[in-house]
Amino acid sequence: MREILGRRLQRLRDRFKSPRAARRSTAAAAAVPSLLDGALTCATLWRWPVLPGVGRAGADSTRCACPDPDCVVPGAHPFDPGLLAASADARMVAWWWTRRPTAPVLLATGGAAPCAVSLSAGAAARAVVRLDAQGMRLGPIVATPTRWSLLVAPYSLERLGELLYAKDHVPSSLRFHGEGGYLLLPPSTASGGGQVRWEREPAAGRDGLWLPEVEAVVDALVEASSGAPGGGSRLAY
């Protein structure tokens, strides 16, 4: 299956190449296979709706390309196109990234797409060890230098609200990426620097990609975040 997918991705790349693309700088050209392939894999293999993030601007690429000079997640959020434009159509995805080869890859969470729960990297690592020891089957995990995000099955805001209402305390450092949200995916660059990577890569079984329910993991994540130094409150991606 992966060989078939690889041939399809190569055909799409070849189709969208242009003389202008061939004249890009060496650094930008090197980014094409990585980010374009990452976006196309998500869209074609997993059927996840993705879209390009706003990216960086400026001579040193340190500021966000959006109009907000105080952007708290520089480069790592939707802007143009907006979140509602997210698509799993391979032609649309290829069109976006051949024109913006360094754009981060964003997953539009919720609906039929995976949701996620994110927390500080140290707390998440401890929670994963605990869940593994309990025999919990986990799904994909996205990692940045500061935060990990555990992908879970889609949930509604109402269902999440009922789940959290029953808790005595939910640390503010926990972030829930549900319907109407988004998540930065590999191989993007994190807003605070460093690479976004798979701590655990998506793996499909006979029934497709398996994801745990949010109820199965939230207790361990709440406990780990509550015990994190400083409350695990750093929210930067």
Side-chain angles (χ1 to χ4, degrees):
M1 181 178 181
R2 289 188 178 274
E3 292 180 1
I4 295 173
L5 175 63
R7 289 195 293 270
R8 289 177 179 173
L9 296 183
Q10 186 60 52
R11 285 197 296 269
L12 282 165
R13 287 195 296 269
D14 293 342
R15 179 179 176 182
F16 283 90
K17 280 181 180 178
S18 66
R20 179 183 177 186
R23 292 192 298 269
R24 290 190 183 105
S25 67
T26 301
V32 173
S34 179
L35 289 162
L36 175 59
D37 286 359
L40 283 172
T41 298
C42 290
T44 58
L45 185 59
W46 310 118
R47 303 303 301 166
W48 292 352
V50 296
L51 75 161
V54 63
R56 301 293 188 108
D60 53 1
S61 298
T62 57
R63 65 178 180 84
C64 188
C66 76
D68 184 0
D70 300 316
C71 182
V72 295
V73 283
H77 64 87
F79 181 68
D80 183 16
L83 187 61
L84 293 179
S87 175
D89 182 87
R91 292 171 298 179
M92 187 75 253
V93 171
W95 187 86
W96 277 331
W97 267 275
T98 51
R99 282 153 180 78
R100 297 175 55 193
T102 61
V105 181
L106 299 180
L107 165 69
T109 54
C115 293
V117 184
S118 68
L119 64 164
S120 64
R126 290 192 295 274
V128 167
V129 169
R130 174 185 169 187
L131 290 168
D132 283 342
Q134 294 173 349
M136 178 66 65
R137 183 183 178 190
L138 297 175
I141 301 175
V142 176
T144 76
T146 58
R147 293 183 73 79
W148 287 14
S149 301
L150 281 71
L151 270 62
V152 296
Y155 55 74
S156 67
L157 294 179
E158 291 79 10
R159 177 179 164 196
L160 178 65
E162 292 174 359
L163 176 65
L164 298 183
Y165 183 76
K167 307 295 179 187
D168 292 332
H169 171 65
V170 178
S172 61
S173 57
L174 275 180
R175 182 177 295 169
F176 296 90
H177 308 259
E179 189 164 1
Y182 63 90
L183 184 68
L184 192 64
L185 292 180
S188 307
T189 299
S191 63
Q195 201 72 21
V196 184
R197 61 179 177 82
W198 291 111
E199 173 65 22
R200 294 193 181 177
E201 293 189 13
R206 289 180 299 177
D207 299 323
L209 181 66
W210 187 88
L211 298 166
E213 299 294 331
V214 65
E215 291 90 345
V217 301
V218 73
D219 284 345
L221 302 186
V222 167
E223 181 176 335
S225 291
S226 299
S233 60
R234 184 176 182 183
L235 294 180
Y237 279 108

